[in-house]
Amino acid sequence: MLTQASKVNANKVFSLARHYRAVRRRTEVLCEPLSAEDYNLQSMPEASPVKWHLAHTTWFFETMILSAMSDYRVFHPQYTYLFNSYYESIGERLNRSDRGLLSHPRIEEIYKYREYVDTYILHFLEAEAHHLSGNILTAMDTGLHHEMQHQELILTDLKHAFAANPLKPAYKSMDYDASDEIPAMRWHEYPEGVYWIGHDEEKEEFAYDNEKPSHRRFSNTFRLASRLVTNREFVAFMEEGAYARPEFWLSDGWKLVQEKKWHAPLYWENLGGKWWTMTLGGLREVEKNEPVCHVSFYEADAFARWWGFRLPTETEWEIAAKTVKPEGNFAESGRFHPAHVKSLAFTNSPSQLYGDVWEWTSSAYSPYPGYKPPQGMLGEYNAKFMSSQMVLRGGSCVTPKEQIRHSYRNFFSPDSRWQFSGIRLAGYL
Ligand SMILES: [Fe+2]
């Protein structure tokens, strides 16, 4: 007879199995518009081919969950070498820049690999439903959230590859609504005080190790912009000589502007005197009221300085976001592009905090006080990247909604532009 505790555990496992099927399926649905040629594109070392993403997420489950089972046989003995991303504790691996050379294994083989691992995982969950340990549950949850991160990367990396093609192909055809009018930028004020920051461990929802432990931070009085910075506002910055005036830039940023000849956000092209940009629906004219996107931390910081403001710290962002439901223009909208603010009314809290674009903060990505990386392979997931990166918050139009919480910390190097990254202003009072 089942004890009450094991029944609860079994229910959790059954819903985990349902969740697993749904998340894995979502990845494959994202690939439906793709041709065989699309699957293998790698436009730069930081971006991976779709085929690699499909296999790597599968390898993650195989390595974290199945490899510990005595009767499990790996699908292919060389796949760890091909599809290990950065786990030193697992062993040597293919150079990141060589992922686009993998014409073999074929796409069909990768889908067979996914099916093989799915069958074992679901069988394992069913067989172990009454005995599953907390560690395995955490590993499964991490694998699913990891797969969601790669769903976002599939779209982000494809956009970069398609933008590099002179034909500017579309991932799929899309209609984008425009707007003549959006609200003026206004300000929300937050009082000074001590605030709890990070993941509340009393909550059952999933969180990565880098969101923990929950801790207190003092914040001075600050104000946060009521909406994101738009393309129109960024064009105004450009027209005032943004990329030609060193006084707006951090030293490293100014060096990059000159070296890389940056003159506009990534993907922007001036055609016949008008700005056009690449979208997942193909090349289209820049819509002035949409949030500016594909800017580096340096561009975000320079813009803020030009306008007499600054970027928020991640603490400030979280103080504001904690009181707002994580709803917005996420991947589920199918738009895959930032959208203009829909309502002209001034609301109680800032608009667009979640979805649309990842918001650069002025905070360096570092451990929270008392942070301890997890044991084993998962200890390498976040902890070893805690240098030379800046924190971004809030998710974007290609982020699955389920992935985002007020405490979620994304991080990229300050020169990165291929993520869907944009700008929210902050200021002192
Ligand atoms: Fe990964």
Side-chain angles (χ1 to χ4, degrees), residues 201-353:
E201 301 206 26
E202 309 235 307
K203 275 195 185 168
E204 282 225 343
E205 68 175 9
F206 175 83
Y208 285 109
D209 53 288
N210 62 4
E211 299 166 52
K212 304 172 193 172
S214 174
H215 59 283
R216 284 166 295 178
R217 293 225 169 164
F218 174 78
S219 173
N220 284 309
T221 308
F222 68 98
R223 56 180 169 160
L224 202 61
S226 58
R227 59 163 173 77
L228 295 165
V229 168
T230 62
N231 290 322
R232 185 190 305 281
E233 288 154 351
F234 201 84
V235 167
F237 175 44
M238 288 159 58
E239 287 172 353
E240 287 206 11
Y243 291 94
R245 292 174 61 181
E247 65 265 35
F248 302 132
W249 298 81
L250 290 166
S251 172
D252 287 348
W254 180 242
K255 207 165 134 205
L256 275 171
V257 166
Q258 292 173 303
E259 269 172 24
K260 298 190 182 274
K261 304 200 181 339
W262 284 350
H263 60 282
L266 181 64
Y267 304 137
W268 283 32
E269 291 179 34
N270 200 303
L271 302 171
K274 289 187 169 166
W275 286 107
W276 289 65
T277 190
M278 187 60 180
T279 72
L280 280 161
L283 194 68
R284 77 184 251 259
E285 203 174 322
V286 167
E287 163 56 46
K288 295 286 175 62
N289 287 329
E290 285 172 359
V292 67
C293 188
H294 298 296
V295 289
S296 64
F297 166 79
Y298 296 122
E299 287 158 297
D301 177 81
F303 176 89
R305 190 163 300 123
W306 166 72
W307 212 353
F309 296 100
R310 61 180 175 84
L311 299 178
T313 64
E314 64 167 325
T315 299
E316 289 167 342
W317 190 94
E318 190 167 322
I319 289 168
K322 204 168 177 175
T323 58
V324 179
K325 272 195 186 157
E327 287 172 357
N329 174 23
F330 288 114
E332 285 73 7
S333 74
R335 178 183 168 94
F336 304 145
H337 197 69
H340 59 82
V341 180
K342 295 286 186 293
S343 166
L344 292 177
F346 183 70
T347 48
N348 288 337
S349 46
S351 305
Q352 302 171 304
L353 273 172

Side-chain angles (χ1 to χ4, degrees), residues 56 60 85-87 146 150:
H56 163 71
F60 196 86
S85 49
Y86 53 67
Y87 295 92
H146 171 252
H150 280 272

Side-chain angles (χ1 to χ4, degrees), residues 25 59 95 104 106 131 146 178 208 224 301 337 345 349 360 370 378 388:
R25 175 78 192 128
W59 168 84
N95 284 334
H104 294 74
R106 300 287 197 201
H131 315 284
H146 171 252
Y208 285 109
L224 202 61
D301 177 81
H337 197 69
S349 46
W360 284 109
L378 284 183
S388 310

